[in-house]
Amino acid sequence: MTDYLKQSRTNQRQKLLFVYGMIVLCMIGLAGRLLYLMVNRADYYGEKAKEVHQRQRTVKAARGIIYDRNGVEIASNKPVSTISVIHNQIEDPEKVIRVLSDLLELPEEKVRKRVEKVSSIEKIKSNVDKEISDQIRDMELAGVMVDEDYKRYYPYSEFASRVIGFTGADNQGIIGMEVAYDKYLQGQDGSILTMTTARGLEIDGKAEERVEPVAGTNLYSSLDVNIQTFAQQAAKKVMKAKKAKSVRIVMMNPQNGEIYAMVNVPEFDLNDPYTLNTSAGKNMSDKKKQEALNGMWRNACVSDTYEPGSTFKVITATSALEAGVVKLEDTFHCPGFKIVEDRRIRCHKTTGHGSETFVQGVQNSCNPVFMEVGARLGVDNMFRYLQQLGILSKTGIDVPGEASTIMHQKENVGAVELATMSFGQSFQLTPVRLLSSISMIINGGTQITPHFGVKLESSDGTAVKRLTYPVQENVISGQTSETMRMILESVVSEGSGKKAFVEGYQVGAKTGTSEKLPRRSNKYIASCMGFAPADNPVVAALVLIDEPQGIYYGGTIAAPVISELLDNALPYLGVERGEISTAEPG
Amino acid sequence: MAKAQNGRRKREHYYYQMDYMLLFMTVVIALFGILMIYSASSYTASTSRFSNPYRFVTRQAFGMLGGIFCMLFVARWDYRELYLKKFNIVYLIYVVCLILQTIVLIPGIGVEHNGARRWLKLGMEFQPSEFTKIGVILFVSYAVYLSRKRLDTFQGFLKVMVYIIPAIALIGKENLSTAIIVTVIAGGMCFVASKKKKYFIFCAIAAVGLALAYAMIGGGFRAGRIASWRDIENEPGGFQILQGLYAIASGGILGSGLGESMQKLGYIPEAYNDMIFAVICEELGIVGAVFVMIAFLVLLWRIVIIACNAPDIFGSMICVGVMIHIAIQVLFNIAVVTNTIPSTGVPLPLISYGGTACLIMMTELGLVLNVSARIKRK
């Protein structure tokens, strides 16, 4: 028995040691597993853990500033704040509710609801002015957070609204230059990475990683605050006087395509782009309202086409001179109409202009003269020159939404269509397209691209990039250009554009009156194109008065606007006023 | 009787002393547990409805103090009185355990937490299965003491197990992991006591096979746990373990420093509980984690020494049972936390939060200390 006991005691010890050995082996195995996890997998899981722990707070980059040609800010940033409350840090809820509803001008129940809501962070109001948020910050209320931010701000509010455009909630451009130059203006948002607990509370004293934001690139535009402001006032004045629906003005440098002013009145307030600029905004369904907003945001100078009417005769005349199918002294006869095929197409002067030269025909804006010239050109030449003068293509202007010219198919053009085209009817183009082609005609024959963007400059001013645009020289001959300038000057001094006259300057102009479709609706667009000085133009302008009441002739109501605009712009642009002739011009 | 008198006479030449090294290791590990529970629980405790950062640590401290008291109390009287008396206390304890284990299953008496009915409320809530572990250890030890030869045959082994199986079945109804632990304790004790190896190896393989089959076929949440074990990053059920892995991996060599764990900030649910080893890894690094493992190995080694020198087979088997109990829980816990095996709720002995668990564990160690105090030392 004792033997057995002894023997089994030894056996039992061996077994026990065996068990302990197994335990040690398992422990070593687990230690190995730990080593693998903590060394080999550390980066992998560590990164994943960090993703879970870190909260990224975006620091908005300041959007690039848009300047006018003189360095005046026309789109800028304003410091604003977002006010939030952190529920479990609030010590005196009643005071917080009182102060916030007072200073932020919010109803008390609304603030109370947010303050009393159990959440990690609750936003009370964003886009709060700096003065107010500073007041709130100075009160040092526990649980109230003031986060600084930027808001896009337009110092001139209702100013070139469709051209400059505005930005949305995510700092992205919505229309105009804000869209066209969005990628430059945006900059790069920075971020603050903070460690948080699983409930999302930030942990004090844990390392904070910061990525500084990079401010957006500043844009220098060709707009001129003074010219634009004056043009807007002039447009408003004539719109009111003529009870017109809208007035459009484009003013540009015909030598290089820089646009000084682009007016679409009524303009809207860029600081409040979601409020309609007409009183019709009430009681609209959301869909209707969105449509109305889209309409309001539309840059009609670039996106809407119209029938140019007589102003287009500049193009026809240039084509004819360039093709050599007409000479200045060629004589024509206008009985007040011209029969084309089976149609009798009237001149605006129903009694007829009688016998006249080509130059007089332009001065008189005589339709039969241009029908004849058009017929001499023929369909092929007509289309060749339309192509050459850029009428059939887009201008490539640097704001979005440019519309194409709506033109007949060449093969469908018969004698009647050719005749109407010659004096600017039966097709449509955009104002900016017409003014660009006319600019080429009067600048010596260089095709230019109308544009607003001039140069980009990094926020610290170190890197500057000049923007270049396609230019094509000698599209028409210098001779033709000079002749056209001379003829158009005579339109002012002797012809239908008398009212575009500016004392002390030689002005070239062409007026136009187009009946809107459908015909006989008695809705017109009165227009006038003008430029000065006639021998070396520094500014070209186009005025469109949409649906004026009463007298609707371009020569009567649009030409005075051109006169006013040039009278203001020329001295401003440094063109000296010549001798003021006391006599009434011929 | 003569033997006992003989021993009493010789007491003049030998001295008897409990194993202070074991006592020391126990208290050190438990104090370390208190420290880690404070670190791991203060955030949860202060943000929860209790809003008292010391809630868990105070409760654990009371559990530990009670445990030390029980341990020293149990160590005082001679363990041999458990069976030397006319009235056999071992049987009594085991029967009481079986009764408690049955009562807890009755709806209305047993308290339910998280869908499992494992708790009884007598002043404070406790799990009878914790007591059952002691009951089983004592019962198997006594069975071995009564007839050691019995375990040399498979039938004898089965006879012992037949008495244990009711306890295992009652526990397994609500708590599979504890049932597995009890099975391993009983099987391991028999293995140590037996002269044979073969049938144990066969049984072990069969048990593992059965367990796997059960887990596969069982469906329900167990299949889910296996699925999340295999694809810890994508299975939704693996969230807690995955968060634990994040904690372990962020630890590195030296850890982020005591109190600096990120994962305890609500990412690991109940970080102070079964997952506490992950927080230890994150805060103290692989160095700290290995130190904890070594501390347990030292503790277990002391128990092995005591088992080898125990005055009789009953005491020796008690030590073996306690050792296997501690070892299996440590191994299971670390294996679960490191996603080495599918997750199952096993706390880390002496360290994880749980007042009764700590108290019972210390009582068991008190039994070992008791045995150690009966060793003749020169």
Side-chain angles (χ1 to χ4, degrees):
Chain A
M1 195 64 185
T2 36
D3 266 1
Y4 178 81
L5 271 177
K6 231 177 207 166
Q7 192 195 345
S8 61
R9 179 123 207 165
T10 325
N11 170 68
Q12 185 205 339
R13 281 178 184 171
Q14 280 172 355
K15 285 262 188 85
L16 188 53
L17 287 176
F18 172 76
V19 168
Y20 186 76
M22 292 302 287
I23 293 167
V24 172
L25 275 181
C26 289
M27 282 284 198
I28 291 171
L30 287 175
R33 168 98 180 136
L34 270 181
L35 195 69
Y36 165 74
L37 285 175
M38 295 171 90
V39 177
N40 285 27
R41 303 285 280 171
D43 292 342
Y44 177 72
Y45 283 123
E47 273 305 306
K48 292 211 150 201
K50 218 174 175 185
E51 278 170 29
V52 178
H53 300 154
Q54 278 187 337
R55 177 196 299 166
Q56 188 171 347
R57 274 197 316 192
T58 317
V59 187
K60 253 203 211 170
R63 195 172 165 86
I65 294 164
I66 304 179
Y67 295 101
D68 90 330
R69 62 187 304 106
N70 308 309
V72 180
E73 290 182 2
I74 53 177
S76 174
N77 304 306
K78 183 166 85 167
V80 291
S81 303
T82 300
I83 313 287
S84 332
V85 287
I86 298 168
H87 181 79
N88 51 14
Q89 287 178 10
I90 292 177
E91 285 163 10
D92 187 353
E94 288 308 315
K95 191 178 173 195
V96 168
I97 293 167
R98 205 180 58 238
V99 168
L100 292 186
S101 61
D102 240 31
L103 287 175
L104 300 176
E105 289 165 2
L106 291 170
E108 200 196 301
E109 318 87 71
K110 205 172 157 188
V111 178
R112 180 177 298 278
K113 214 173 121 193
R114 304 236 166 109
V115 169
E116 286 174 355
K117 190 172 168 193
V118 182
S119 67
S120 63
I121 186 162
E122 191 72 19
K123 188 155 81 177
I124 303 282
K125 196 179 176 189
S126 48
N127 288 332
V128 178
D129 279 349
K130 196 167 165 24
E131 303 97 72
I132 295 174
S133 67
D134 282 351
Q135 274 183 47
I136 294 171
R137 194 202 310 270
D138 290 344
M139 299 185 86
E140 286 174 4
L141 296 168
V144 176
M145 248 184 39
V146 178
D147 278 325
E148 288 204 356
D149 199 354
Y150 293 109
K151 190 193 166 200
R152 199 60 162 167
Y153 173 67
Y154 302 92
Y156 291 88
S157 307
E158 288 188 26
F159 176 84
S161 46
R162 282 87 172 182
V163 176
I164 298 171
F166 58 93
T167 58
D170 295 329
N171 197 29
Q172 84 283 25
I174 306 261
I175 62 165
M177 287 194 275
E178 294 277 28
V179 171
Y181 293 96
D182 201 30
K183 65 172 174 176
Y184 301 107
L185 293 168
Q186 271 210 338
Q188 264 180 323
D189 283 350
S191 52
I192 304 176
L193 298 168
T194 43
M195 303 295 259
T196 68
T197 68
R199 297 170 153 221
L201 293 177
E202 283 171 17
I203 306 161
D204 289 336
K206 286 268 180 194
E208 204 180 68
E209 287 174 37
R210 240 185 119 91
V211 181
E212 291 299 332
V214 181
T217 308
N218 297 331
L219 171 68
Y220 284 82
S221 72
S222 62
L223 282 178
D224 188 299
V225 166
N226 294 310
I227 297 176
Q228 172 81 23
T229 308
F230 188 84
Q232 262 180 232
Q233 281 165 359
K236 262 192 211 162
K237 201 168 76 186
V238 71
M239 184 174 83
K240 202 178 165 196
K242 298 308 296 178
K243 296 190 179 68
K245 205 174 118 194
S246 70
V247 175
R248 284 175 266 176
I249 295 174
V250 184
M251 291 175 79
M252 67 192 263
N253 182 341
Q255 306 295 339
N256 60 12
E258 287 181 1
I259 296 173
Y260 295 134
M262 186 176 275
V263 179
N264 296 274
V265 286
E267 297 277 349
F268 64 90
D269 185 355
L270 284 175
N271 291 318
D272 187 14
Y274 293 93
T275 304
L276 287 170
N277 56 3
T278 55
S279 51
K282 320 257 169 7
N283 311 323
M284 267 187 189
S285 69
D286 284 353
K287 203 182 158 198
K288 268 259 171 66
K289 189 177 178 201
Q290 190 54 50
E291 274 172 17
L293 282 175
N294 284 334
M296 181 177 87
W297 297 337
R298 208 175 156 85
N299 187 344
C301 293
V302 172
S303 306
D304 288 351
T305 56
Y306 79 116
E307 215 177 28
S310 299
T311 47
F312 190 75
K313 287 170 183 162
V314 178
I315 309 291
T316 314
T318 307
S319 309
L321 287 171
E322 194 68 3
V325 297
V326 72
K327 287 194 193 63
L328 296 184
E329 52 283 359
D330 283 0
T331 51
F332 297 84
H333 180 77
C334 166
F337 62 88
K338 183 173 162 67
I339 306 238
V340 181
E341 286 183 341
D342 56 340
R343 300 225 196 153
R344 187 183 146 111
I345 303 174
R346 293 188 313 140
C347 184
H348 60 87
K349 190 177 178 184
T350 44
T351 52
H353 291 101
S355 184
E356 55 191 338
T357 63
F358 175 64
V359 175
Q360 284 169 324
V362 180
Q363 286 168 356
N364 295 333
S365 197
C366 178
N367 288 350
V369 171
F370 279 89
M371 287 188 253
E372 172 62 25
V373 167
R376 285 193 203 173
L377 266 171
V379 175
D380 281 346
N381 262 340
M382 189 65 164
F383 272 86
R384 202 184 103 211
Y385 285 106
L386 288 182
Q387 184 71 51
Q388 201 171 323
L389 297 172
I391 296 294
L392 299 180
S393 44
K394 288 187 183 181
T395 63
I397 190 169
D398 57 343
V399 285
E402 188 184 358
S404 304
T405 303
I406 304 165
M407 181 58 79
H408 300 283
Q409 291 291 311
K410 190 179 162 186
E411 53 273 22
N412 299 338
V413 175
V416 177
E417 285 79 13
L418 185 62
T420 53
M421 275 168 66
S422 305
F423 58 89
Q425 281 190 10
S426 76
F427 68 93
Q428 294 199 334
L429 44 58
T430 63
V432 81
R433 174 66 271 170
L434 182 66
L435 191 62
S436 299
S437 290
I438 291 174
S439 290
M440 182 191 70
I441 291 166
I442 61 178
N443 74 8
T446 304
Q447 182 149 311
I448 45 89
T449 306
H451 60 267
F452 295 100
V454 175
K455 69 173 181 190
L456 295 163
E457 188 186 75
S458 61
S459 56
D460 53 3
T462 50
V464 178
K465 186 188 164 199
R466 253 183 195 284
L467 296 164
T468 56
Y469 297 88
V471 169
Q472 199 187 343
E473 287 184 6
N474 301 322
V475 175
I476 61 164
S477 70
Q479 180 61 46
T480 307
S481 174
E482 203 185 323
T483 309
M484 282 309 297
R485 288 202 300 266
M486 188 267 287
I487 295 173
L488 292 171
E489 198 277 329
S490 75
V491 169
V492 175
S493 55
E494 293 163 36
S496 56
K498 276 184 193 133
K499 294 207 161 151
F501 171 75
V502 182
E503 273 199 341
Y505 293 103
Q506 286 198 306
V507 177
K510 184 73 198 77
T511 62
T513 309
S514 22
E515 194 173 8
K516 287 176 90 170
L517 295 171
R519 305 286 185 211
R520 313 269 174 269
S521 60
N522 280 324
K523 285 181 178 169
Y524 295 89
I525 294 177
S527 62
C528 182
M529 177 283 299
F531 62 91
D535 53 349
N536 183 25
V538 297
V539 59
L542 178 63
V543 176
L544 273 73
I545 304 169
D546 197 9
E547 297 182 20
Q549 307 290 308
I551 300 168
Y552 53 81
Y553 296 113
T556 316
I557 62 168
V561 180
I562 289 288
S563 168
E564 204 181 340
L565 292 173
L566 295 180
D567 189 35
N568 172 68
L570 288 167
Y572 177 78
L573 291 170
V575 183
E576 277 188 41
R577 209 180 277 273
E579 266 181 45
I580 299 172
S581 55
T582 44
E584 190 72 12
Chain B
M1 263 319 195
K3 209 176 165 188
Q5 271 176 350
N6 202 12
R8 233 167 255 154
R9 202 171 26 157
K10 275 180 185 170
R11 212 172 271 178
E12 287 139 37
H13 305 281
Y14 299 92
Y15 71 98
Y16 298 85
Q17 194 182 55
M18 69 165 72
D19 191 316
Y20 286 110
M21 180 67 184
L22 178 63
L23 180 64
F24 174 76
M25 286 310 298
T26 310
V27 174
V28 163
I29 292 175
L31 283 175
F32 175 74
I34 297 272
L35 180 70
M36 288 318 295
I37 284 170
Y38 175 65
S39 174
S41 73
S42 57
Y43 173 80
T44 318
S46 55
T47 54
S48 69
R49 64 200 153 90
F50 314 115
S51 47
N52 169 15
Y54 302 104
R55 179 186 154 86
F56 294 104
V57 78
T58 35
R59 286 163 76 101
Q60 181 72 8
F62 278 118
M64 188 186 96
L65 288 176
I68 290 176
F69 175 79
C70 286
M71 176 167 70
L72 295 176
F73 174 78
V74 167
R76 271 190 68 79
W77 40 262
D78 194 332
Y79 69 93
R80 283 168 287 197
E81 289 176 22
L82 283 171
Y83 61 89
L84 284 178
K85 286 202 173 163
K86 280 176 206 160
F87 187 71
N88 194 319
I89 298 172
V90 173
Y91 289 153
L92 176 71
I93 289 174
Y94 189 61
V95 169
V96 168
C97 284
L98 285 183
I99 292 168
L100 287 178
Q101 225 40 89
T102 316
I103 288 173
V104 82
L105 294 177
I106 302 168
I109 298 176
V111 182
E112 234 182 279
H113 286 300
N114 304 327
R117 192 177 289 114
R118 299 175 185 171
W119 286 264
L120 274 179
K121 194 158 181 151
L122 284 175
M124 61 186 288
E125 283 183 9
F126 68 97
Q127 296 195 41
S129 60
E130 298 286 346
F131 288 106
T132 309
K133 287 174 190 165
I134 299 187
V136 168
I137 290 171
L138 290 176
F139 184 85
V140 176
S141 301
Y142 188 61
V144 172
Y145 168 79
L146 285 181
S147 168
R148 179 179 310 204
K149 262 186 184 166
R150 174 158 40 184
L151 284 170
D152 291 348
T153 61
F154 186 58
Q155 289 86 341
F157 168 63
L158 282 184
K159 266 184 199 164
V160 173
M161 289 311 277
V162 160
Y163 289 100
I164 304 299
I165 279 165
I168 293 170
L170 287 170
I171 297 171
K173 171 95 178 32
E174 289 290 327
N175 191 348
L176 184 69
S177 51
T178 305
I180 292 172
I181 288 169
V182 171
T183 315
V184 173
I185 293 171
M189 287 173 79
C190 293
F191 170 73
V192 171
S194 163
K195 274 184 173 175
K196 295 282 189 300
K197 281 191 193 116
K198 271 185 197 162
Y199 68 83
F200 283 101
I201 293 164
F202 171 75
C203 283
I205 291 167
V208 170
L210 268 173
L212 281 179
Y214 177 73
M216 296 292 182
I217 301 159
F221 83 101
R222 266 173 207 113
R225 283 191 172 185
I226 292 193
S228 56
W229 168 58
R230 292 165 69 150
D231 187 8
I232 190 74
E233 283 179 40
N234 301 317
E235 287 286 334
F239 177 78
Q240 195 183 17
I241 303 292
L242 183 62
Q243 292 299 327
L245 287 181
Y246 286 173
I248 293 170
S250 344
I253 302 295
L254 289 170
S256 53
L258 199 61
E260 293 295 311
S261 164
M262 281 298 303
Q263 287 294 95
K264 70 185 184 191
L265 300 175
Y267 293 103
I268 306 176
E270 300 185 19
Y272 44 88
N273 223 322
D274 297 351
M275 296 301 287
I276 199 161
F277 192 71
V279 177
I280 296 173
C281 288
E282 188 183 354
E283 296 195 345
L284 304 175
I286 192 149
V287 173
V290 168
F291 259 108
V292 171
M293 292 162 97
I294 289 173
F296 274 112
L297 285 179
V298 170
L299 181 98
L300 296 176
W301 180 245
R302 288 317 300 179
I303 302 177
V304 169
I305 301 271
I306 295 165
C308 290
N309 297 318
D312 64 355
I313 188 71
F314 179 60
S316 181
M317 285 319 293
I318 288 173
C319 296
V320 170
V322 173
M323 190 207 71
I324 293 175
H325 179 202
I326 295 173
I328 198 73
Q329 288 209 181
V330 171
L331 291 176
F332 266 28
N333 181 273
I334 297 177
V336 166
V337 170
T338 54
N339 198 36
T340 315
I341 61 169
S343 78
T344 170
V346 180
L348 191 60
L350 298 172
I351 294 180
S352 282
Y353 173 73
T356 37
C358 183
L359 192 141
I360 297 294
M361 193 54 80
M362 285 193 151
T363 307
E364 285 180 34
L365 285 160
L367 283 172
V368 178
L369 286 175
N370 190 332
V371 175
S372 76
R374 314 303 148 204
I375 297 170
K376 276 188 256 176
R377 296 168 204 261
K378 281 180 189 168

